[in-house]
Amino acid sequence: MTQSEAPVFTREAPQSGRIEAVSPLVRRLVCPNGGPFTQTGTCTYVVGHGRVAVIDPGPGEAGQVEALLAALGSETVTAIVVTHTHRDHSPGARALKAATGAPIVGCGPHRAARALRGSEQNLLDAAGDCDHRPDREMRDGDVLDGPGWTLRALETPGHTMNHLAFALPEEETLFSGDHVMAWSTSIVAPPDGAMGAYMASLDRLKGRSERIYWPGHGGPVREPQRFVRALSHHRRAREAAVLDRLATGDRTIPALVAQIYQGLDPRLKGAAALSVFAHLEDLVGRGLAATDGEPTLEGEYRTV
């Protein structure tokens, strides 16, 4: 991958705890749940004025819903929109519904990409919000609207299998959830996520015309078509690195991570292992790598 093809990640870090207008139709309130996987926190978006939609109310931490309602004042929440069922995004929807009576819409219940294999454990069980039950499950192309605004659902599975993005045509923007973020790549972790689905979802975005993305964490994705192309190249380069290390004799996921992610923050090694596992599952499925039996985190792999 050439330097020009590499995604340029930005470290723009919106401040948590205060609501700010980021466009004529969109306001952002960042939840105070910052960390290595969430940057400064989950971005909650308010769309419209007067009668509004709230996207991804966050983890439901004490004070977050109160801060949001205080910022909205006399405005009416008409819909609570959820992009996907990770606990840093969706549990707050239930608290906001209890406070406002607004329906929860958007992604369906949490589901995995595949069943557990043998004694396999889902290392992201704690991240999945299995209590999420929307009042209206939106599918690709479904529309939600209000005075002066429209949200159109776009199915983007991969990070989770129920992941949705939402286009706002009035401003030529896309709420991209955790599918595409400007500050970092998105984790794709089996069995909840799947690399093949994630790459196909990236391909869906390449031909779209939105001029800016508002992601689930961090600042906006500017020049999104260029960024998505670079992100896809980045993932393919990671896949090539996995195949190259297999060809040199590395056989296990820890060995691959040690070589491919040199200098990685130790807090992120578990996520890196899951990402490599997602690539290996995809490579085995495409006949480019092999393992004895089904792919597992503990398995040994080889080139074909």
Side-chain angles (χ1 to χ4, degrees), residues 77-227:
V77 178
T78 62
I80 304 162
V81 184
V82 178
T83 61
H84 67 291
T85 46
H86 276 159
R87 290 188 178 276
D88 56 331
H89 287 259
S90 55
R94 297 188 286 280
L96 186 57
K97 178 180 178 178
T100 65
I104 299 172
V105 305
C107 71
H110 192 73
R111 67 181 190 273
R114 59 164 176 77
L116 294 176
R117 295 167 176 157
S119 60
E120 180 185 26
Q121 293 183 334
N122 185 345
L123 298 182
L124 289 186
D125 262 349
D129 179 12
C130 295
D131 295 326
H132 178 76
R133 295 291 184 276
D135 297 292
R136 175 192 172 194
E137 181 177 346
M138 298 179 71
R139 304 304 300 265
D140 202 68
D142 287 349
V143 169
L144 176 73
D145 56 22
W149 56 266
T150 308
L151 292 173
R152 186 178 299 274
L154 177 70
E155 292 184 6
T156 49
H159 174 66
T160 62
M161 297 312 290
N162 62 355
H163 196 288
L164 295 176
F166 292 91
L168 177 65
E170 289 84 357
E171 293 192 339
E172 298 180 274
T173 61
L174 185 78
F175 297 95
S176 57
D178 282 4
H179 181 54
V180 176
M181 299 179 288
W183 74 287
S184 175
T185 56
S186 178
I187 183 173
V188 179
D192 283 349
M195 188 61 70
Y198 181 81
M199 295 301 295
S201 293
L202 282 183
D203 287 342
R204 287 202 71 191
L205 298 186
K206 289 178 182 177
R208 295 184 62 87
S209 60
E210 283 85 10
R211 58 184 180 80
I212 195 168
Y213 292 176
W214 297 110
H217 306 278
V221 179
R222 298 182 173 89
E223 297 187 82
Q225 286 75 28
R226 177 182 296 179
F227 188 84

